[in-house]
Amino acid sequence: MALLSPPHPLPAQFSVSTASLLVRRRPTTACQVCTPKEAVHRVDPSALTLAESLSENELWAAACLRVRSFYQFKPSTFGLQDHRRYLAEREFEAMKERVGGKRKGFRRVSCINASVPLSQISSLSVSDEFCAECKFNKDGEDRMVVGTLDLNQCVSLPDEITGIKPEGIGADFARAYLSNVCVAKELHRNGLGYALVSKSKLVAQEWGISDLYVHVAVDNEPAKKLYMKSGFVYENDEPAWQARFLDRPRRILLWFGIPGLQL
């Protein structure tokens, strides 16, 4: 049975405060792409699909992957499964709102996922929990979301430093940011992060985006290497006071110019 089954309305009496969750959320702009000490499970590149998510069951699978990637749980947390489900449902509802164009300040948002057939994952030595939580069905085939990110067409992201390109008129439709970039920890070092970022560039180009940005924690070396390999360059860094105020690691802002679309 899936620990995080598809969502349904929460009971009225179910209320969880941030303090009671006993979890620590990693930055939404973090990129969980490499854990050198873990064994590498190889994915067949020919079985990999990179596409914008169009169904709710795929969004749910992506939300579950984000909870697994961005939250660190204390093993002794009371009601751990309920907490994880609550976080997944909260992310799922937020994703539907963003992708559905209902979030103020965003012209367009797309959830881009990397997925593979469940049969391929089942043949690897990965946990049943991972297979149960991040599974979805598409055209009668069971698949797994193994990587995900958001592409956000907007002037700026909440609580983040703002890019400066393009300058003047046009920033509201020609600028975009990547966020919530993560890859299943069981499948790090398969090039999935690089493939996701490459796909996001193509989607951004289709949207007419000229300038693509991503925020990275200063101490997240694997993420910085990924983005620099993908052609991103340094533009700015977050003031230390802002990082302290928001109680998080300081960020740097990286920029990539979409070829042929510079204003």
Side-chain angles (χ1 to χ4, degrees):
M1 177 181 291
L3 291 176
L4 297 178
S5 54
H8 59 269
L10 291 173
Q13 69 271 22
F14 187 77
S15 177
V16 184
S17 67
T18 302
S20 67
L21 290 176
L22 298 178
V23 297
R24 178 71 173 177
R25 194 189 199 286
R26 297 169 183 167
T28 58
T29 48
C31 181
Q32 308 303 326
V33 293
C34 184
T35 307
K37 294 183 180 180
E38 294 182 354
V40 178
H41 301 293
R42 293 300 178 192
V43 172
D44 179 4
S46 65
L48 180 67
T49 297
L50 297 154
E52 297 178 74
S53 177
L54 300 175
S55 67
E56 288 197 359
N57 65 340
E58 185 176 350
L59 285 177
W60 172 253
C64 292
L65 179 59
R66 293 178 186 190
V67 171
R68 298 181 84 251
S69 300
F70 293 128
Y71 289 89
Q72 297 174 323
F73 298 89
K74 294 182 179 180
S76 59
T77 301
F78 177 75
L80 179 58
Q81 291 185 19
D82 286 339
H83 291 334
R84 293 177 65 178
R85 179 179 177 79
Y86 165 78
L87 293 167
E89 290 193 346
R90 187 173 66 177
E91 175 63 15
F92 174 67
E93 293 300 328
M95 290 168 73
K96 287 197 298 181
E97 184 179 271
R98 293 192 299 264
V99 173
K102 299 178 181 179
R103 182 65 64 89
K104 185 177 180 180
F106 292 79
R107 292 181 63 91
R108 191 186 306 183
V109 178
S110 179
C111 171
I112 300 174
N113 293 330
S115 69
V116 296
L118 176 62
S119 57
Q120 180 173 140
I121 298 298
S122 300
S123 66
L124 305 176
S125 300
V126 299
S127 69
D128 292 338
E129 172 192 325
F130 171 44
C131 292
E133 290 180 355
C134 301
K135 180 178 70 173
F136 70 100
N137 187 279
K138 182 176 182 180
D139 299 327
E141 179 187 39
D142 285 334
R143 299 186 65 85
M144 293 280 297
V145 172
V146 295
T148 179
L149 62 75
D150 286 341
L151 175 64
N152 309 272
Q153 184 181 23
C154 56
V155 173
S156 62
L157 292 177
D159 297 325
E160 300 289 358
I161 48 179
T162 303
I164 62 174
K165 301 182 181 71
E167 299 179 3
I169 299 174
D172 60 334
F173 66 84
R175 183 186 302 164
Y177 298 83
L178 300 181
S179 64
N180 293 307
V181 186
C182 63
V183 169
K185 61 183 179 180
E186 294 87 349
L187 300 175
H188 286 175
R189 293 187 288 169
N190 271 284
L192 298 178
Y194 184 82
L196 273 170
V197 173
S198 297
K199 176 63 177 181
S200 72
K201 292 178 184 177
L202 295 176
V203 176
Q205 189 173 41
E206 292 173 0
W207 290 2
I209 299 298
S210 61
D211 299 274
L212 185 61
Y213 284 96
V214 66
H215 300 85
V216 188
V218 294
D219 59 351
N220 193 337
E221 293 300 326
K224 288 191 288 186
K225 289 180 181 178
L226 166 69
Y227 293 122
M228 290 179 180
K229 177 183 177 182
S230 300
F232 284 79
V233 296
Y234 170 87
E235 181 177 287
N236 201 355
D237 58 283
E238 181 179 48
W241 67 264
Q242 182 173 333
R244 288 195 299 269
F245 178 76
L246 295 171
D247 189 27
R248 68 185 187 192
R250 192 164 59 87
R251 314 288 184 86
I252 60 173
L253 181 64
L254 303 179
W255 166 84
F256 177 81
I258 304 295
L261 292 175
Q262 296 299 291
L263 298 182

